[in-house]
Amino acid sequence: MEMSLYPPRRRGRGVLVFLGWVLVVGLGVGLAWYGFVWSERGEQAEGTPAPGAAVGTSPQPTAGPLPPLSTAASSIPTPTVVPVPTDAPEPTPVPPTAVPPTPYIVAGVDGVNVRTGPGTNYTQVGYIDPGAQAPLVDNSGDWWQIRYEGAVAWVFAELVEAFNVDQGVPPPATVPAATAPPTATPPPPTQTPSAEGATWPAEVFQLINAVRAENGLPPYTYNETLELAAQLHGQDCQERGSCNHIGSDGSNVQIRILRAGYDAAGWAEVLVRSSSPQAAVDWWMDETPPNDPHRSTLLSTWVTEIGVAAVPTGRGDYYFIAVFGRPKTG
């Protein structure tokens, strides 16, 4: 049997060849892996911001000369600014309208009773405490009209003090002369006084002046316009069947003498239902101060003129009404 002289050498060469292929394959794989890794690092390096730059900040363009405006843009007209004149006059301020003061009364230290009419014979409807106030409606005569609990009432003038009556503000019940109706003509009475009753107004006038003379006072002057106002009110009382100082239309003596055409600076009124002139005057004078509104009116120095009416009641007696006034002067 023949034996090779070189068997160990062939085996060693094969091992070397195998190791060479392994080395080549490993080298190829390593190169491929190295190239792949290097490629990723390069791409990441390109996306990595430079030091100091904010992430996500877009690069700002370099400022350069602006292109010229187009024809359309340059043809837009520039708006003209109109200056506001500096010498314009300042607006004149309008002063607020002055509200006139309201007349009112203040009760004295004893307070004052409030009545339905100008006299102690009228029903008492209330009482105003000392120092308390009430709106003033009319401050003529010895009893003054006030507004009390939504209605017109009367208080004795000597027990109260009036305010704001000298501010040129007429009382609320005053009817302006410009709006006063024309001079009234008395309608024919529904009941004609007797022949004796027709002379009673003049007799009442004489009796009143007689008591004034007894008290050292000058006589009243008779005024036919005041007589007209008294006569009209007497006929109104006759038609109603009762009489007080407020007419059926809500008028007071001030409004009635103004309607008759008497321009008064002062006024007053007394009335009574009686059987004769002497009985009427006696009833008016039968009062004791300070509760003497009728007596003090007959003896007043505030009014200077008088007009009287005697109107039958239809029940055998008369309404005696005396209206007093003081005309305006100047």
PDB file of all heavy atoms in Angstrom, residues 18 20-21 38 51 58 71 76 79 124 137 140 146 157 163 176 189 207 263 268 277 290 296:
ATOM      1  N   PHE A  18     -10.107  28.281   4.287  1.00  0.00           N
ATOM      2  CA  PHE A  18     -11.387  28.506   4.980  1.00  0.00           C
ATOM      3  C   PHE A  18     -11.317  29.739   5.856  1.00  0.00           C
ATOM      4  O   PHE A  18     -12.233  30.591   5.865  1.00  0.00           O
ATOM      5  CB  PHE A  18     -11.707  27.254   5.823  1.00  0.00           C
ATOM      6  CG  PHE A  18     -12.928  27.438   6.677  1.00  0.00           C
ATOM      7  CD1 PHE A  18     -14.188  27.348   6.132  1.00  0.00           C
ATOM      8  CD2 PHE A  18     -12.823  27.757   8.033  1.00  0.00           C
ATOM      9  CE1 PHE A  18     -15.285  27.491   6.900  1.00  0.00           C
ATOM     10  CE2 PHE A  18     -13.936  27.898   8.782  1.00  0.00           C
ATOM     11  CZ  PHE A  18     -15.187  27.795   8.244  1.00  0.00           C
ATOM     12  N   GLY A  20      -9.370  32.170   5.362  1.00  0.00           N
ATOM     13  CA  GLY A  20      -9.315  33.361   4.505  1.00  0.00           C
ATOM     14  C   GLY A  20     -10.700  33.805   4.067  1.00  0.00           C
ATOM     15  O   GLY A  20     -11.012  34.988   4.042  1.00  0.00           O
ATOM     16  N   TRP A  21     -11.529  32.843   3.670  1.00  0.00           N
ATOM     17  CA  TRP A  21     -12.904  33.194   3.296  1.00  0.00           C
ATOM     18  C   TRP A  21     -13.678  33.787   4.473  1.00  0.00           C
ATOM     19  O   TRP A  21     -14.415  34.759   4.301  1.00  0.00           O
ATOM     20  CB  TRP A  21     -13.623  31.939   2.778  1.00  0.00           C
ATOM     21  CG  TRP A  21     -13.295  31.621   1.333  1.00  0.00           C
ATOM     22  CD1 TRP A  21     -12.532  30.611   0.867  1.00  0.00           C
ATOM     23  CD2 TRP A  21     -13.728  32.357   0.230  1.00  0.00           C
ATOM     24  NE1 TRP A  21     -12.420  30.603  -0.508  1.00  0.00           N
ATOM     25  CE2 TRP A  21     -13.187  31.741  -0.932  1.00  0.00           C
ATOM     26  CE3 TRP A  21     -14.503  33.511   0.040  1.00  0.00           C
ATOM     27  CZ2 TRP A  21     -13.408  32.208  -2.242  1.00  0.00           C
ATOM     28  CZ3 TRP A  21     -14.726  33.935  -1.288  1.00  0.00           C
ATOM     29  CH2 TRP A  21     -14.191  33.337  -2.382  1.00  0.00           C
ATOM     30  N   TRP A  38     -21.895  55.144   9.373  1.00  0.00           N
ATOM     31  CA  TRP A  38     -21.335  56.444   8.961  1.00  0.00           C
ATOM     32  C   TRP A  38     -22.340  57.267   8.204  1.00  0.00           C
ATOM     33  O   TRP A  38     -22.444  58.474   8.353  1.00  0.00           O
ATOM     34  CB  TRP A  38     -20.066  56.176   8.129  1.00  0.00           C
ATOM     35  CG  TRP A  38     -19.449  57.468   7.648  1.00  0.00           C
ATOM     36  CD1 TRP A  38     -19.551  58.036   6.440  1.00  0.00           C
ATOM     37  CD2 TRP A  38     -18.647  58.311   8.428  1.00  0.00           C
ATOM     38  NE1 TRP A  38     -18.867  59.193   6.366  1.00  0.00           N
ATOM     39  CE2 TRP A  38     -18.279  59.405   7.628  1.00  0.00           C
ATOM     40  CE3 TRP A  38     -18.155  58.252   9.757  1.00  0.00           C
ATOM     41  CZ2 TRP A  38     -17.459  60.432   8.067  1.00  0.00           C
ATOM     42  CZ3 TRP A  38     -17.358  59.296  10.174  1.00  0.00           C
ATOM     43  CH2 TRP A  38     -17.030  60.361   9.351  1.00  0.00           C
ATOM     44  N   PRO A  51     -24.206  75.472  16.802  1.00  0.00           N
ATOM     45  CA  PRO A  51     -24.185  75.942  18.185  1.00  0.00           C
ATOM     46  C   PRO A  51     -24.676  77.376  18.289  1.00  0.00           C
ATOM     47  O   PRO A  51     -24.293  78.228  17.500  1.00  0.00           O
ATOM     48  CB  PRO A  51     -22.699  75.828  18.562  1.00  0.00           C
ATOM     49  CG  PRO A  51     -22.146  74.829  17.620  1.00  0.00           C
ATOM     50  CD  PRO A  51     -22.900  74.972  16.350  1.00  0.00           C
ATOM     51  N   SER A  58     -36.184  79.366  11.775  1.00  0.00           N
ATOM     52  CA  SER A  58     -35.876  79.408  10.348  1.00  0.00           C
ATOM     53  C   SER A  58     -34.830  80.459  10.107  1.00  0.00           C
ATOM     54  O   SER A  58     -34.809  81.507  10.752  1.00  0.00           O
ATOM     55  CB  SER A  58     -37.125  79.735   9.537  1.00  0.00           C
ATOM     56  OG  SER A  58     -38.123  78.763   9.766  1.00  0.00           O
ATOM     57  N   THR A  71     -47.009 100.169 -10.244  1.00  0.00           N
ATOM     58  CA  THR A  71     -47.765 101.355 -10.674  1.00  0.00           C
ATOM     59  C   THR A  71     -49.080 101.452  -9.938  1.00  0.00           C
ATOM     60  O   THR A  71     -49.498 102.519  -9.512  1.00  0.00           O
ATOM     61  CB  THR A  71     -48.007 101.310 -12.195  1.00  0.00           C
ATOM     62  OG1 THR A  71     -46.760 101.173 -12.839  1.00  0.00           O
ATOM     63  CG2 THR A  71     -48.731 102.548 -12.656  1.00  0.00           C
ATOM     64  N   ILE A  76     -52.166 104.933  -5.364  1.00  0.00           N
ATOM     65  CA  ILE A  76     -53.160 105.130  -4.306  1.00  0.00           C
ATOM     66  C   ILE A  76     -52.956 106.507  -3.687  1.00  0.00           C
ATOM     67  O   ILE A  76     -51.868 106.822  -3.226  1.00  0.00           O
ATOM     68  CB  ILE A  76     -53.008 104.038  -3.228  1.00  0.00           C
ATOM     69  CG1 ILE A  76     -53.239 102.659  -3.848  1.00  0.00           C
ATOM     70  CG2 ILE A  76     -53.964 104.284  -2.075  1.00  0.00           C
ATOM     71  CD1 ILE A  76     -53.021 101.526  -2.886  1.00  0.00           C
ATOM     72  N   PRO A  79     -54.373 110.045   1.938  1.00  0.00           N
ATOM     73  CA  PRO A  79     -55.505 110.768   2.524  1.00  0.00           C
ATOM     74  C   PRO A  79     -55.065 112.107   3.097  1.00  0.00           C
ATOM     75  O   PRO A  79     -54.013 112.235   3.700  1.00  0.00           O
ATOM     76  CB  PRO A  79     -55.997 109.823   3.631  1.00  0.00           C
ATOM     77  CG  PRO A  79     -54.816 108.963   3.947  1.00  0.00           C
ATOM     78  CD  PRO A  79     -54.081 108.797   2.658  1.00  0.00           C
ATOM     79  N   GLN A 124    -112.475 119.956  63.018  1.00  0.00           N
ATOM     80  CA  GLN A 124    -111.030 119.746  63.109  1.00  0.00           C
ATOM     81  C   GLN A 124    -110.692 118.391  62.495  1.00  0.00           C
ATOM     82  O   GLN A 124    -111.255 117.359  62.874  1.00  0.00           O
ATOM     83  CB  GLN A 124    -110.560 119.789  64.560  1.00  0.00           C
ATOM     84  CG  GLN A 124    -109.062 119.556  64.725  1.00  0.00           C
ATOM     85  CD  GLN A 124    -108.607 119.640  66.164  1.00  0.00           C
ATOM     86  OE1 GLN A 124    -109.310 120.186  67.009  1.00  0.00           O
ATOM     87  NE2 GLN A 124    -107.433 119.089  66.443  1.00  0.00           N
ATOM     88  N   VAL A 137    -100.969 127.048  50.584  1.00  0.00           N
ATOM     89  CA  VAL A 137    -101.751 127.272  49.365  1.00  0.00           C
ATOM     90  C   VAL A 137    -102.174 128.731  49.248  1.00  0.00           C
ATOM     91  O   VAL A 137    -102.094 129.326  48.181  1.00  0.00           O
ATOM     92  CB  VAL A 137    -102.985 126.337  49.342  1.00  0.00           C
ATOM     93  CG1 VAL A 137    -103.856 126.614  48.129  1.00  0.00           C
ATOM     94  CG2 VAL A 137    -102.543 124.882  49.356  1.00  0.00           C
ATOM     95  N   SER A 140    -103.832 134.580  52.640  1.00  0.00           N
ATOM     96  CA  SER A 140    -104.598 135.821  52.804  1.00  0.00           C
ATOM     97  C   SER A 140    -105.567 135.662  53.968  1.00  0.00           C
ATOM     98  O   SER A 140    -105.995 134.557  54.302  1.00  0.00           O
ATOM     99  CB  SER A 140    -105.373 136.128  51.522  1.00  0.00           C
ATOM    100  OG  SER A 140    -106.300 135.099  51.247  1.00  0.00           O
ATOM    101  N   ILE A 146    -103.774 125.412  53.599  1.00  0.00           N
ATOM    102  CA  ILE A 146    -102.588 124.568  53.491  1.00  0.00           C
ATOM    103  C   ILE A 146    -102.975 123.269  52.791  1.00  0.00           C
ATOM    104  O   ILE A 146    -104.164 122.985  52.581  1.00  0.00           O
ATOM    105  CB  ILE A 146    -101.982 124.251  54.878  1.00  0.00           C
ATOM    106  CG1 ILE A 146    -102.973 123.441  55.717  1.00  0.00           C
ATOM    107  CG2 ILE A 146    -101.552 125.522  55.586  1.00  0.00           C
ATOM    108  CD1 ILE A 146    -102.374 122.866  56.988  1.00  0.00           C
ATOM    109  N   ALA A 157    -103.834 131.783  61.183  1.00  0.00           N
ATOM    110  CA  ALA A 157    -102.586 132.391  60.718  1.00  0.00           C
ATOM    111  C   ALA A 157    -101.658 132.794  61.859  1.00  0.00           C
ATOM    112  O   ALA A 157    -100.435 132.721  61.724  1.00  0.00           O
ATOM    113  CB  ALA A 157    -102.902 133.605  59.849  1.00  0.00           C
ATOM    114  N   PHE A 163     -93.194 130.804  55.058  1.00  0.00           N
ATOM    115  CA  PHE A 163     -91.878 130.934  54.447  1.00  0.00           C
ATOM    116  C   PHE A 163     -92.010 130.841  52.923  1.00  0.00           C
ATOM    117  O   PHE A 163     -92.919 130.190  52.402  1.00  0.00           O
ATOM    118  CB  PHE A 163     -90.931 129.849  54.954  1.00  0.00           C
ATOM    119  CG  PHE A 163     -90.590 129.961  56.416  1.00  0.00           C
ATOM    120  CD1 PHE A 163     -91.394 129.365  57.373  1.00  0.00           C
ATOM    121  CD2 PHE A 163     -89.479 130.680  56.832  1.00  0.00           C
ATOM    122  CE1 PHE A 163     -91.093 129.460  58.719  1.00  0.00           C
ATOM    123  CE2 PHE A 163     -89.159 130.781  58.171  1.00  0.00           C
ATOM    124  CZ  PHE A 163     -89.972 130.179  59.122  1.00  0.00           C
ATOM    125  N   PRO A 176    -103.217 132.731  37.233  1.00  0.00           N
ATOM    126  CA  PRO A 176    -102.563 133.862  36.584  1.00  0.00           C
ATOM    127  C   PRO A 176    -103.576 134.751  35.883  1.00  0.00           C
ATOM    128  O   PRO A 176    -104.567 134.277  35.319  1.00  0.00           O
ATOM    129  CB  PRO A 176    -101.610 133.188  35.586  1.00  0.00           C
ATOM    130  CG  PRO A 176    -101.435 131.787  36.091  1.00  0.00           C
ATOM    131  CD  PRO A 176    -102.725 131.446  36.755  1.00  0.00           C
ATOM    132  N   PRO A 189    -130.629 135.063  39.481  1.00  0.00           N
ATOM    133  CA  PRO A 189    -130.768 134.178  40.634  1.00  0.00           C
ATOM    134  C   PRO A 189    -131.999 133.296  40.500  1.00  0.00           C
ATOM    135  O   PRO A 189    -133.007 133.676  39.901  1.00  0.00           O
ATOM    136  CB  PRO A 189    -130.888 135.147  41.820  1.00  0.00           C
ATOM    137  CG  PRO A 189    -131.403 136.425  41.221  1.00  0.00           C
ATOM    138  CD  PRO A 189    -130.820 136.484  39.845  1.00  0.00           C
ATOM    139  N   LEU A 207    -123.192 148.330  58.936  1.00  0.00           N
ATOM    140  CA  LEU A 207    -122.978 147.759  60.264  1.00  0.00           C
ATOM    141  C   LEU A 207    -121.496 147.409  60.482  1.00  0.00           C
ATOM    142  O   LEU A 207    -120.970 147.611  61.592  1.00  0.00           O
ATOM    143  CB  LEU A 207    -123.845 146.508  60.435  1.00  0.00           C
ATOM    144  CG  LEU A 207    -125.355 146.762  60.551  1.00  0.00           C
ATOM    145  CD1 LEU A 207    -126.113 145.427  60.499  1.00  0.00           C
ATOM    146  CD2 LEU A 207    -125.679 147.500  61.854  1.00  0.00           C
ATOM    147  N   ASP A 263    -108.166 142.854  40.607  1.00  0.00           N
ATOM    148  CA  ASP A 263    -106.733 142.542  40.692  1.00  0.00           C
ATOM    149  C   ASP A 263    -106.278 142.827  42.120  1.00  0.00           C
ATOM    150  O   ASP A 263    -106.041 143.976  42.491  1.00  0.00           O
ATOM    151  CB  ASP A 263    -105.955 143.386  39.690  1.00  0.00           C
ATOM    152  CG  ASP A 263    -104.514 142.919  39.547  1.00  0.00           C
ATOM    153  OD1 ASP A 263    -104.206 141.810  40.022  1.00  0.00           O
ATOM    154  OD2 ASP A 263    -103.701 143.658  38.949  1.00  0.00           O
ATOM    155  N   ALA A 268    -110.028 138.346  51.475  1.00  0.00           N
ATOM    156  CA  ALA A 268    -110.585 137.579  52.588  1.00  0.00           C
ATOM    157  C   ALA A 268    -112.076 137.438  52.331  1.00  0.00           C
ATOM    158  O   ALA A 268    -112.648 138.110  51.441  1.00  0.00           O
ATOM    159  CB  ALA A 268    -110.309 138.257  53.925  1.00  0.00           C
ATOM    160  N   PRO A 277    -129.321 141.206  58.595  1.00  0.00           N
ATOM    161  CA  PRO A 277    -127.972 141.769  58.590  1.00  0.00           C
ATOM    162  C   PRO A 277    -127.389 141.919  59.992  1.00  0.00           C
ATOM    163  O   PRO A 277    -126.210 141.618  60.212  1.00  0.00           O
ATOM    164  CB  PRO A 277    -128.163 143.125  57.916  1.00  0.00           C
ATOM    165  CG  PRO A 277    -129.351 142.940  57.030  1.00  0.00           C
ATOM    166  CD  PRO A 277    -130.255 142.034  57.795  1.00  0.00           C
ATOM    167  N   PRO A 290    -107.526 134.456  70.655  1.00  0.00           N
ATOM    168  CA  PRO A 290    -107.046 134.529  69.269  1.00  0.00           C
ATOM    169  C   PRO A 290    -107.878 133.731  68.274  1.00  0.00           C
ATOM    170  O   PRO A 290    -107.595 133.750  67.083  1.00  0.00           O
ATOM    171  CB  PRO A 290    -105.641 133.932  69.378  1.00  0.00           C
ATOM    172  CG  PRO A 290    -105.775 132.897  70.442  1.00  0.00           C
ATOM    173  CD  PRO A 290    -106.752 133.455  71.430  1.00  0.00           C
ATOM    174  N   SER A 296    -111.702 139.292  63.412  1.00  0.00           N
ATOM    175  CA  SER A 296    -110.466 139.962  63.003  1.00  0.00           C
ATOM    176  C   SER A 296    -110.502 140.367  61.528  1.00  0.00           C
ATOM    177  O   SER A 296    -109.827 141.325  61.139  1.00  0.00           O
ATOM    178  CB  SER A 296    -109.272 139.042  63.260  1.00  0.00           C
ATOM    179  OG  SER A 296    -109.397 137.827  62.529  1.00  0.00           O
TER     180      SER A 296
END
